[in-house]
Amino acid sequence: MRVLLMKLLSSLMLIFLILGTALIALIWYVLSDSSVGPHPPYHHAQNSIRSDSSEPCKDCRDNIIDEVVKRYSHGWKKQEENPKRFRSLLRSTCNGLTKSIVTQANTPLGSKVAYDGEKRKPFVVTPKLFSTFAKRHPFLNKTWNTCAVVGNGGILTNSSCGKKIDSAQFVIRCNLPPLENGYEREVGNKTDLVTANPSILFEKFGGLLERRRPFVEKLRSYGNSLMLLPAFSYGLNTAVSLRALYTIQDFQSPTQPVFLNPEYIRSLNRFWRSQGLRTVRLSTGIIMASLALELCTSVDLYGFWPFSQHPYGHHHLTNHYYDDRQSKKKVHAMPAEFEHLLRLHSQGVLRIHLGECLTTTRPVGSATTGG
């Protein structure tokens, strides 16, 4: 009898255990489904833009754009203290005035350089490589009153922003964009600094392994501007960046090639992570905007719009103002970056331009010394 009772109790305990487990699983499912189920791509409570790689539904996308335009349309007011505080924070953590570009002073002969985009053994700076470094940092003890950072977004199409962009004292452009054949009206042609991603050197100029004249002819659009090359982001980029430098020297082009400092990129990554930005790699646009915020009293951004629809009218936009080639969404979190830049716009730290530009321009001045 006792044995039978023990077996019965054991069976009942097993049944209760199974039922309890099932009940807990059901409760967890219900709660988790209600709390982490699909959310709209725009969180009103957090006032932020999600950077989902998948394209949201049309109505969802329209809602995102409407919300962004609503925030943008609150009006921009020039601030004095907010830009100063943000510039001071950037300089104390990243110090682009002395570290953004590789120089013989900040990267001496025999020192070790680590790539910022991949984990591999640091390389030692040889005399030959050292001779390619800038002898002096071009931004040392310099600031400008007005700077324009020009992205390549399709929002610049029919924007008539060319004169306004060219009115800035210092103009930064990204990834060797076209400035001729009618584009001058939209984006201007003044250039003080232009970036050149090695991927463009491979795709458009064959990695400079064959004919190099087309590359030099392309550079005529940028005059004697600085050309910033990320030579030490990945190992494969070093050789093609050096070929670009040697090509410029061999053809006696007035363009001035310089190398982006991987130490600066690492510090910039840490800075934006501390601001809440999560991305695999920062885009060229936000890197240049960050640099401009250190260099300039007033920073204006053009062509920074991460959506395929225009903010006014919602008509389709190409990815770039000159083509519809798509960016690497898994690498760059463009909407998330735009969210942070829009926040700085709202705080008066910088100014984002959307839509058509007015015809009025600011007077052009010269660079000033000091902070």
Side-chain angles (χ1 to χ4, degrees), residues 65-78:
I65 294 173
D66 288 341
E67 286 292 339
V68 172
V69 172
K70 182 179 178 181
R71 292 170 59 192
Y72 177 81
S73 300
H74 285 165
W76 186 84
K77 183 178 180 181
K78 182 177 176 60

Side-chain angles (χ1 to χ4, degrees), residues 147-151 289 299-304 341 350-354:
C147 286
V149 183
V150 188
V299 176
D300 292 79
L301 305 185
Y302 302 84
F304 282 70
L341 295 175
L350 51 73
R351 187 171 188 178
I352 300 174
H353 293 266
L354 302 179

Side-chain angles (χ1 to χ4, degrees), residues 102-113 123-135 232:
V102 174
T103 68
Q104 293 183 351
N106 61 36
T107 313
L109 180 66
S111 62
K112 292 184 178 181
V113 177
F123 63 90
V124 177
V125 176
T126 63
K128 183 178 180 180
L129 183 61
F130 181 74
S131 68
T132 67
F133 296 168
K135 291 180 173 60
F232 308 119

Side-chain angles (χ1 to χ4, degrees), residues 20-36:
T21 302
L23 181 61
I24 291 171
L26 178 62
I27 294 172
W28 179 89
Y29 174 79
V30 171
L31 292 176
S32 63
D33 184 61
S34 63
S35 61
V36 297

